[in-house]
Amino acid sequence: MIQKLLIANRGEIAVRIIRAAREMGIRTVAVYSDADKNSLHVALADEAICIGPPEPAESYLNIDKILSAARSVSADAIHPGYGFLSERAEFSQACSDAGVIFIGPSADSMRQLGAKSDAKALAVTVGVPIVPGCFDPNASREQLREAALEIGYPIMLKASAGGGGRGMRIVRDPDVFLDEFSTASDEALKSFGDGMMMVEKLVERPRHVEVQVLADTVGNVACLYERECSIQRRHQKLIEESPSPYLASHDKMWNEMADASRKLVKTAGYVGAGTVEFMVDEADSRFYFLEVNTRLQVEHPVTEAVTGLDLVKHQIRIASGMPIDIDDRLLIGDRTALTGHSIEVRIVAEDPAKGFMPSIGKILAWAQPTAPGVRIDTGFGSGSEISRYYDSLIAKVIVHAEDRASAIGKMIQALMDFHILGIQTNIAFLLDVLDHPDFRSGQFDTNFLARAFADWTVEGVPDVIGAISAYAASPSSPNPALSLFPKTWDQTDSFRNTK
């Protein structure tokens, strides 16, 4: 069994992994940049090592520094979390070469499934449906332009590497293809170090549905149901849930999707936790393979809620050579094993009044909900600094209830009870999305936010809230987090939430 685990990440996912490891009796090691020296994950770990300046390339993306840190404390395993190095085959290989257990798939299976173009080629080989397109990793710009004309517009340009909506562009007019290609490729190069692109037919109103898989070294592959991830803003997921309100009434599609996921995972010899992503076209009741995320997903807690499993613990057990040991119904994807409904929202440090620009600075006060069935995953709190160097995600709120309607109500209440002062967040936006009739009815697709919230603006903040914030920011303020704010938050009038 693993004795000491180094977490090659930061923020809420580092905290999440530390807590799971601690429950298993495993000592933990945090790594941090100069910008994160006072972060929660550093405080929680048994040991912590600074690995460089704030820039990711000099710290969290530096394989040599992370392996050096692991050697210095005799860590026998590394968990990459998500983002940063989590989907880099060279990192998995470097860990293996150094004799350190990588909590994730092998470099070989990551290469087969990590790049979208390679994964699509494998999907074709095993008979998994894909959207028409050109996925040759060596295709030139001109070849992709010709392929787009042959496929027919509109088309979608996608980066071959990476994810998270970066390096993606919808192109409706052949005359702007080259400009959009350059923009998308440059963005992909800056984000992933790889500017290769691919092109595929655009499905106008798709749903984004993904399947959580767990695979062990003895051939077991568990498909732990689906997550609906269609609520996206600029290709960035904001709200995820399980089960999908669409697949809940389409058992045949679920069985086919689960079978397709198993085929891909087994063919690639994949071991560990991963996510197989699909696009669902409601117009013709078909689904198409998109990609495989060879890591833990940000939205994994909703799967944990409806299955009762701890995916991080299972990752660690699988990496230690243990077989998957779960209820047989969960192993085969029997939907009678699903328990209730779960929703997750992402709270990000962005200013809705300024076009959702990142909001950086110090969190002056923080109060989070503590109700039954509500889980908060975060690496921040009162006094934390939000840096310009990293992702804007500061917290995930996950709720679990007996059905979808109850889960929506519980989430709205939880967000009304979440208060963050000192920076701007998207809480008001999330509340309006959750209350929209189309979201409540489950009638939405990946373009829902662009249509329904194109002209959305944040409501004005009441004067009293502005005065409190100004007072908190004042150098002469004695200790607002302990004195003024709790009194204000205890009120039950219309000012209890900044919405």
Side-chain angles (χ1 to χ4, degrees), residues 353-479:
K354 296 181 179 178
F356 292 89
M357 290 291 290
S359 178
I360 62 174
K362 187 174 184 178
I363 296 175
L364 301 174
W366 174 290
Q368 65 188 44
T370 56
V374 177
R375 164 180 165 181
I376 309 297
D377 280 14
T378 186
F380 299 91
S382 182
S384 296
E385 288 282 347
I386 304 301
S387 168
R388 65 182 176 86
Y389 295 102
Y390 311 117
D391 187 85
S392 59
L393 176 66
I394 57 174
K396 301 184 310 196
V397 183
I398 306 98
V399 300
H400 185 219
E402 61 272 18
D403 54 44
R404 188 170 186 269
S406 300
I408 292 173
K410 183 172 287 189
M411 180 62 79
I412 289 174
Q413 183 60 49
L415 291 180
M416 291 294 290
D417 287 340
F418 210 138
H419 307 273
I420 303 170
L421 292 181
I423 60 168
Q424 302 300 316
T425 73
N426 65 333
I427 289 178
F429 182 70
L430 291 169
L431 282 165
D432 283 348
V433 174
L434 290 163
D435 199 38
H436 193 283
D438 287 349
F439 178 81
R440 285 184 175 273
S441 68
Q443 301 299 312
F444 52 77
D445 54 71
T446 58
N447 300 315
F448 166 66
L449 293 186
R451 292 192 309 272
F453 291 86
D455 300 321
W456 183 89
T457 56
V458 66
E459 295 177 10
V461 176
D463 290 342
V464 66
I465 299 295
I468 292 170
S469 298
Y471 176 76
S474 170
S476 61
S477 174
N479 193 341

Side-chain angles (χ1 to χ4, degrees), residues 317-385:
R317 292 187 184 112
I318 289 170
S320 302
M322 299 179 183
I324 298 171
D325 184 15
I326 59 177
D327 186 300
D328 286 343
R329 293 181 302 158
L330 293 175
L331 190 62
I332 64 174
D334 181 346
R335 295 185 79 79
T336 63
L338 276 166
T339 304
H341 196 95
S342 182
I343 299 175
E344 172 184 298
V345 302
R346 305 187 189 194
I347 296 180
V348 294
E350 295 177 351
D351 188 350
K354 296 181 179 178
F356 292 89
M357 290 291 290
S359 178
I360 62 174
K362 187 174 184 178
I363 296 175
L364 301 174
W366 174 290
Q368 65 188 44
T370 56
V374 177
R375 164 180 165 181
I376 309 297
D377 280 14
T378 186
F380 299 91
S382 182
S384 296
E385 288 282 347

Side-chain angles (χ1 to χ4, degrees), residues 132-150:
C134 179
F135 312 111
D136 181 355
N138 298 312
S140 67
R141 181 177 61 178
E142 284 303 315
Q143 287 174 319
L144 290 176
R145 188 170 71 90
E146 291 174 6
L149 289 170
E150 184 177 340

Side-chain angles (χ1 to χ4, degrees), residues 60-240:
Y60 298 107
L61 287 173
N62 192 304
I63 293 175
D64 290 339
K65 288 184 177 180
I66 289 172
L67 286 176
S68 176
R71 285 190 292 267
S72 72
V73 295
S74 300
D76 47 8
I78 293 177
H79 197 306
Y82 55 72
F84 291 132
L85 294 170
S86 63
E87 292 185 279
R88 295 280 189 90
E90 62 267 33
F91 185 43
S92 175
Q93 187 65 57
C95 289
S96 178
D97 293 343
V100 178
I101 297 171
F102 179 74
I103 309 294
S106 68
D108 181 61
S109 60
M110 196 179 288
R111 290 187 188 101
Q112 291 186 67
L113 296 174
K116 296 184 185 72
S117 55
D118 293 339
K120 285 180 185 291
L122 183 63
V124 171
T125 301
V126 298
V128 174
I130 66 170
V131 179
C134 179
F135 312 111
D136 181 355
N138 298 312
S140 67
R141 181 177 61 178
E142 284 303 315
Q143 287 174 319
L144 290 176
R145 188 170 71 90
E146 291 174 6
L149 289 170
E150 184 177 340
I151 294 166
Y153 284 81
I155 56 94
M156 173 74 83
L157 279 168
K158 285 187 177 181
S160 182
R166 295 176 179 87
M168 293 176 64
R169 288 293 185 280
I170 293 174
V171 186
R172 299 184 181 279
D173 184 348
D175 292 339
V176 300
F177 178 91
L178 295 179
D179 289 339
E180 295 288 5
F181 178 95
S182 296
T183 301
S185 181
D186 288 347
E187 185 177 74
L189 185 62
K190 292 175 183 176
S191 299
F192 316 120
D194 186 343
M196 290 193 301
M197 302 297 296
M198 59 187 191
V199 63
E200 66 182 26
K201 178 69 178 175
L202 177 69
V203 177
E204 290 284 6
R205 301 187 71 160
R207 299 185 81 116
H208 187 140
V209 177
E210 60 189 29
V211 177
Q212 174 69 57
V213 297
L214 275 180
D216 62 22
T217 56
V218 296
N220 294 312
V221 178
C223 289
L224 300 173
Y225 313 107
E226 79 283 352
R227 296 186 288 256
E228 175 84 52
C229 303
S230 299
I231 303 299
Q232 304 176 11
R233 184 179 172 278
R234 296 178 182 173
H235 306 297
Q236 297 281 344
K237 301 170 186 174
L238 282 181
I239 301 176
E240 302 99 353

